[in-house]
Amino acid sequence: MDENLDCRFNNLNWEQVQSLDQVLTEVIPIHGRGNFPTLEIKPKDIIHIVKDRLEENGIMVHDIRLNGSTASHILAKQNGTSYKDLDIIFRVELPGEEEFQVVKGVVLDCLLDFLPQGVNKEKITGLTLKEAYVQKMVKVSNDYDRWSLISLSNNSGKNVELKFVNSLRRQFEFSVDSFQIILDSLLPLFCCQENEMTEESHPTVIAESMYGNFEEAMGHLRYKLIATRNPEEIRGGGLLKYSNLLVREFKPASDTEIKGLERYMCSRFFIDFPDVSEQQRKIESYLRNHFIGEEKSKYDYLMILRQVVNESTVCLMGHERRQTLNMITLLALRVLGEQNIIPNAANVTCYYQPAPYVSDRSFSNYYISHGQPHLVYQPYPLHINMQTGLV
């Protein structure tokens, strides 16, 4: 059993420790809404302040970890692995509602420390700071999961996400985002500017793969392979993340297993988001948060998502499946329109559905003019066809 536990962990090398230090000391702007000034925050500073104040307020902090795509970036920087959100996990004790409120109050209070000099802080309340700098807050409290998330806004998508976890059954979606880097050995350096790390003298920093086998997960990360376990345990099934990995040229680690996994992903996604409007909101939110500055990739992403849903959905009625496919198609059309790729009106012809008494089978309710890429529109039922690949 000890061997099984040991295989989850690995020590960072000097190059990885340097990359970690760069991430933690980089200044990240937290943009305020309205007239509120931008806060300039170094991750190491907010980690240090939040930890100290949690403990001052009686919240036990077991350890602090860097999670997800940021950890993957540090471990495999040479692969060109990128990250957006900075995901920091505080493993804490949250026995009741009071502790959740303490955590929220501590984080909002800490933001006062980062306001520029000259700002009158006396009349700024926690609610004001929440409205000005927090992009989202999440609290989950049930028999299995107890955690909260406070995400600080960054206009370029590099949000600082502070996650406070008492218990969380599922801590990863795929092996390549299952890494957590334990920061505790670096905490003494956060408050001592004089202590500089060298290759000969630096703390031992440990990373853990929540997937299970660290070396196996690292192999997947190095060679851009997709692997997971029990996707039905993931909220949303990991379907949107899976499509994102595909558009970034990751390949399934096992071609024989992936079709079965895709069916589980789709089934869980439609269980969690049964209504087509909910599905659309979720997909739109994912596009906003994960494709900032990558507008040209959105169309490819939506086409891959559509293909997966089309080929691997087994839990929907036929008309429900068509509704979802049409919704994704329309989102893709909108993306093309935003990029001025949709043909102009001179090349698009729309006709209304003929009246019920029109029984001539030779009647054509659509027409394609010639010129640039063409759009065919038939009001109901909706079927859209483009020579650019939409079906």
Side-chain angles (χ1 to χ4, degrees):
M1 184 173 178
D2 288 339
E3 288 183 8
N4 291 335
L5 286 174
D6 288 344
C7 76
R8 299 170 61 94
F9 298 92
N10 198 64
N11 293 344
L12 271 63
N13 61 36
W14 170 236
E15 183 180 351
Q16 291 166 337
V17 171
Q18 286 180 301
S19 296
L20 174 60
D21 185 59
Q22 290 171 3
V23 167
L24 295 176
T25 56
E26 177 190 9
V27 174
I28 299 176
I30 302 301
H31 298 103
R33 296 181 181 88
N35 295 324
F36 279 85
T38 297
L39 309 181
E40 295 188 346
I41 291 179
K42 291 181 180 180
K44 72 180 189 68
D45 292 337
I46 196 164
I47 289 170
H48 170 63
I49 294 171
V50 168
K51 177 182 182 294
D52 284 355
R53 295 199 183 162
L54 285 174
E55 292 177 338
E56 288 171 6
N57 284 272
I59 303 291
M60 181 181 293
V61 180
H62 295 293
D63 61 37
I64 303 171
R65 300 174 175 228
L66 196 63
N67 183 54
S69 62
T70 314
S72 299
H73 165 78
I74 289 163
L75 294 171
K77 189 176 181 180
Q78 68 277 10
N79 282 24
T81 307
S82 63
Y83 70 97
K84 294 200 182 308
D85 292 341
L86 195 75
D87 191 357
I88 301 163
I89 294 176
F90 294 78
R91 291 180 63 236
V92 295
E93 295 286 340
L94 297 172
E97 176 62 25
E98 182 181 349
E99 285 73 20
F100 277 101
Q101 293 303 316
V102 169
V103 166
K104 176 182 172 182
V106 161
V107 173
L108 295 176
D109 186 58
C110 287
L111 297 181
L112 290 172
D113 291 18
F114 295 96
L115 286 168
Q117 290 185 352
V119 174
N120 185 356
K121 304 176 184 179
E122 292 181 3
K123 296 183 179 180
I124 300 179
T125 65
L127 179 60
T128 303
L129 291 167
K130 174 179 176 292
E131 294 299 321
Y133 295 109
V134 174
Q135 186 192 55
K136 64 180 177 181
M137 282 187 174
V138 179
K139 185 183 81 170
V140 175
S141 178
N142 56 46
D143 292 340
Y144 304 102
D145 298 325
R146 294 184 65 79
W147 57 271
S148 67
L149 170 72
I150 300 176
S151 179
L152 306 179
S153 300
N154 174 275
N155 292 345
S156 63
K158 191 180 282 190
N159 298 332
V160 175
E161 302 213 327
L162 306 175
K163 196 168 189 176
F164 302 88
V165 177
N166 182 98
S167 57
L168 182 59
R169 282 176 299 176
R170 180 78 182 208
Q171 299 194 48
F172 72 97
E173 290 185 273
F174 296 88
S175 61
V176 294
D177 63 13
S178 69
F179 299 103
Q180 296 183 357
I181 298 175
I182 303 169
L183 303 178
D184 292 62
S185 63
L186 295 174
L187 295 181
L189 302 179
F190 289 176
C191 54
C192 301
Q193 303 292 339
E194 301 80 19
N195 294 341
E196 290 191 7
M197 294 186 294
T198 65
E199 186 170 1
E200 293 74 27
S201 176
H202 65 83
T204 299
V205 182
I206 299 172
E208 179 179 5
S209 169
M210 310 312 289
Y211 175 74
N213 187 303
F214 187 93
E215 287 304 324
E216 183 182 351
M218 275 300 296
H220 296 160
L221 184 58
R222 290 190 190 100
Y223 299 108
K224 302 184 77 169
L225 299 176
I226 301 172
T228 189
R229 295 195 182 97
N230 306 321
E232 67 276 11
E233 296 176 354
I234 308 167
R235 177 164 172 78
L239 176 63
L240 303 186
K241 173 74 174 184
Y242 173 66
S243 301
N244 195 354
L245 291 173
L246 289 175
V247 84
R248 299 181 192 283
E249 300 184 343
F250 282 71
K251 304 295 182 187
S254 171
D255 290 330
T256 57
E257 293 181 7
I258 198 63
K259 284 302 176 184
L261 292 174
E262 284 182 0
R263 286 192 286 271
Y264 281 119
M265 291 179 207
C266 291
S267 295
R268 178 62 196 260
F269 181 81
F270 292 119
I271 289 170
D272 291 332
F273 309 104
D275 183 75
V276 70
S277 60
E278 291 180 89
Q279 297 161 18
Q280 180 170 338
R281 284 193 294 272
K282 185 64 178 176
I283 294 169
E284 288 174 334
S285 174
Y286 194 90
L287 288 172
R288 281 195 304 273
N289 293 328
H290 294 86
F291 287 87
I292 295 173
E294 300 179 274
E295 301 303 315
K296 292 183 179 179
S297 296
K298 288 182 178 180
Y299 172 79
D300 293 334
Y301 171 81
L302 289 166
M303 286 297 94
I304 287 173
L305 175 62
R306 189 187 190 284
Q307 181 180 353
V308 174
V309 170
N310 186 41
E311 295 178 357
S312 299
T313 298
V314 294
C315 62
L316 297 183
M317 301 289 286
H319 73 281
E320 294 173 324
R321 181 171 160 276
R322 287 192 295 274
Q323 276 187 322
T324 297
L325 292 173
N326 288 333
M327 176 269 292
I328 298 173
T329 300
L330 285 175
L331 287 179
L333 283 170
R334 190 175 75 189
V335 165
L336 290 179
E338 290 168 354
Q339 298 172 26
N340 295 319
I341 297 175
I342 289 290
N344 60 38
N347 296 301
V348 179
T349 304
C350 300
Y351 286 96
Y352 293 99
Q353 185 81 1
Y357 52 78
V358 176
S359 58
D360 183 359
R361 291 186 179 277
S362 66
F363 181 87
S364 174
N365 60 358
Y366 57 86
Y367 171 75
I368 309 175
S369 61
H370 297 285
Q372 299 183 14
H374 306 298
L375 168 66
V376 179
Y377 177 66
Q378 180 181 348
Y380 186 83
L382 176 62
H383 299 287
I384 296 179
N385 188 357
M386 288 191 64
Q387 292 180 356
T388 52
L390 288 171
V391 292

